Amino acid sequence: MVVAHSLGFPRIGANRELKKAVESYWQKAISKDDLVQEGKRLRRLHWELQAKAGMDLLPVNDFSFYDHVLDMSALLGVVPSRFGAVNGQVDLDTYFRMGRGRAPTGADTTACEMTKWFDTNYHYMVPEFAENQAFALKSNKLFDEVDEAVALGYQAKPVVLGPLSYLYLGKAIGDFDKLKLLPGLVRAYGEILQRLAQKGIAWVQIDEPILVMDLPQSYKDGFASAYATLAGPASPKLLLTTYFGGVGDNLELVCKLPVQGLHVDGVRGKNELVQVAEHLPRDKVLSVGMVDGRNIWRCELEPAFSALAPLHARFGDNLWVSSSCSLLHSPVDLANEKNMDREIKPWLSFAAQKVLEIATLKKGLSLGAGAIAHELEESMRLMEAKASSPRIHNAEVKKRLSQVTDNSARRANAFAERRGRQHEKLRLPMFPTTTIGSFPQTKEIRQLRADLKSNKITQDTYEQQIRGQIALAVKKQEELGLDVLVHGEAERNDMVEYFGEQLNGFMFTQNGWVQSYGSRCVKPPVIYGDVSRPQAMTTEWSAYAQSLTQRPMKGMLTGPVTILCWSFVRDDQPRMETARQIALALRDEVVDLEKAGISVIQIDEPAFREGLPLRRAAWDDYLKDATHSFRLASCGVRDETQIHTHMCYAEFNDIIGSIADLDADVITMETSRSNMELLKAFETFAYPNEIGPGVYDIHSPRIPSSDEMVLLMQKAAERIAPDYLWVNPDCGLKTRGWPEVERALNNMVTAAKTLRQKYA
Ligand code: GLN
Ligand code: ZN
């Protein structure tokens, strides 16, 4: 029989029970034992659900109280010394301190660094390796959970992050090559596998997602040596799992590794399935992830089945069916969406539905297409309905997109000329000061939104109150002496949601939460159809704010690439086509803002870099399309209207050319945390436009002195001409409180004054 399995199930619970339990524990509202029991309950629930759906092997250790990479560090005893020596096991509070710096017991300690998990919106805790790093098993979590699943009578398939990916994702503390640590690491993995074998485990899922990336030769060699050691007779069988893309040039390598099975991503790696099947010896298991683990669309069963059928002919019972990657990246259960649009709901599938789709594909392969005739037919009927639905297709949007010319994505004149006009119009001092958009989202503001939602206050009252908040922000900025003001974004819950709620083609779920990091979950909007803007979205607020001051008021929009990256995006057309549709809607907003008397408009693109594909070869296409979208959104204005963009912490060096191609008149970016290191790229690349390198780290409650900010700006001025520099914080201030913000901005304005004198 074909085997059905998922690579992992969301751990948060259909109602974010895990988040609630973990946070209650942190607040000491529940005991450690309560938390442990809740974890147990959720695991059991998720196994039960998968088993009922027809999964043959159940993932174990996909559960985590914080992060699965952090779990791996605990298991391997990779605990930085600042968390104290580990005697015996890594206890839960040490674990939480590594994740977030704090726990109910023990002293606060600087948390481990957190970064994006490949190209998803999940974030993992970066392992830290000392030069003499020892590896020793220091956590029983994996083994206890295996016992738990086995005791419940399930076929447990433990999931571990493989040694090469674990090493690759970590960072060396000190100047040494991490790969030196591989032999010791592999010994520890050997022990893990042995212990699992002793428990009677037949298959272990060993995740090596780095196999879908461009790997240095040293890592390729590392794979060969590590797996030669691990795949010994004392080990359970190994299913080497790759996901988030095709294996590409690593195909030869993965097919040669002495493992008993290989999992490939059948969604993103669709085009290489035939090749994989040809290269992989037939006595090995080929697991194919045909059900998209990263999106919310119902699987198109017919094409999926057709792709699997020839593989089944070749591999027989050695063919397994699965999700493309762990279902961690999809929401839990569509059944929880009670108010969803009835036409759209059947087009969707969350984790609980995805395992049913996997089971259906298995059934078809095992018993023949006839056995799933009904499911195939229903899927086809839905696909057809969707393909022709007026909810999705808007002829006007498509027509407009087809008429876009190169000129639509180009300002009328070059920057040098625009700059003169803008300076004449805005009359700003040297080193102009500004902020990135949001001001503190106070309790009061959040209460207003909650009251509006629950109908406690009317729309009118709400708007009046928000206007009051805007007036307050304007007054404070004038008192502080800032040059280019913002309205403060009091009316926005979230920078993507706010626009998604006003655009056609977007939908919001009630419960479509996915884990972002630790206990933090996000509910991304769903872009299901052609995007258009029924009416202006921000002009009233901005015009109101402008009416309160003589100083320039900056309009504030979220860019097309960021909206795309932080949503669930339709998969029936290229992603970048959707980005262009969003861009056109934003373009109209930009023009409307200009008409409303706004002469500085910022289009935020904090996700610009994180959208980069995992493979370098795909970068150019992405950057070309992403840049085009931004320009489409921004280029509809006159020369004298100043376009700003903003980007957060990112390695700019390798994409600096594309950032310049955006042709924004001003870019503000996060640089203070790296002590202006991020401006290194500007040494060799003559960035043509104006720049505001952040001088105030808004992630920290610390208030930098004006001297400190002057020093940072002087550093920046070594690389960028002083009359091209702006003075601003790293990012928006919505998570901070007013008193600290006022003090910090006051220092910032003082710093700008000092700089003006120094560079006059
Ligand atoms: N304008 C947004 C704000 O200030 C930008 C947020 C971001 O870059 N993530 O909140
Ligand atoms: Zn930012």
Side-chain angles (χ1 to χ4, degrees), residues 713-735:
M713 288 305 295
Q714 284 177 315
K715 246 182 157 175
E718 287 166 16
R719 288 161 181 161
I720 298 151
D723 55 339
Y724 279 66
L725 283 170
W726 287 63
V727 184
N728 48 260
D730 271 347
C731 191
L733 300 162
K734 72 183 209 183
T735 57

Side-chain angles (χ1 to χ4, degrees), residues 436-438 489 495 556 602 604 606 646 648 731-732:
I436 306 305
S438 58
E489 301 182 24
M495 64 186 291
M556 200 58 59
Q602 177 173 314
D604 290 323
H646 164 72
C648 297
C731 191

Side-chain angles (χ1 to χ4, degrees), residues 138 203 261 263 284 342 363 434 646 716:
K138 297 279 184 183
W203 281 96
H263 172 91
K284 291 196 182 190
R342 286 227 230 130
K363 189 171 163 196
T434 190
H646 164 72

Side-chain angles (χ1 to χ4, degrees), residues 32 48-49 79 96 112 169 239 271 306 334 354 490 561 576 581 605 623 658 697 744 754:
K32 190 177 285 186
E48 213 169 77
L49 183 150
V79 178
F96 282 138
C112 294
L169 295 171
L239 178 68
N271 295 333
S306 302
L334 190 62
K354 286 177 190 288
V561 180
M576 281 302 174
Q581 292 182 352
E605 285 289 23
L623 288 169
S658 303
D697 174 9
T754 309

Side-chain angles (χ1 to χ4, degrees), residues 11 66-70 113-118 120-126 328-329 515-518 520 522 566 610:
R11 42 184 91 117
Y66 201 88
D67 162 44
H68 55 273
V69 182
L70 187 57
E113 205 180 285
M114 177 173 80
T115 197
K116 262 169 79 75
W117 176 244
F118 298 87
T120 71
N121 288 328
Y122 178 83
H123 302 75
Y124 73 93
M125 302 310 302
V126 180
L328 173 68
H329 311 289
Q515 188 179 11
S516 169
Y517 65 88
R520 193 39 201 267
V522 292
W566 293 351
E610 66 177 62

Side-chain angles (χ1 to χ4, degrees), residues 214-234:
D214 304 316
L215 288 179
Q217 188 58 42
S218 54
Y219 271 83
K220 295 185 184 178
D221 297 343
F223 268 104
S225 70
Y227 281 84
T229 311
L230 291 179

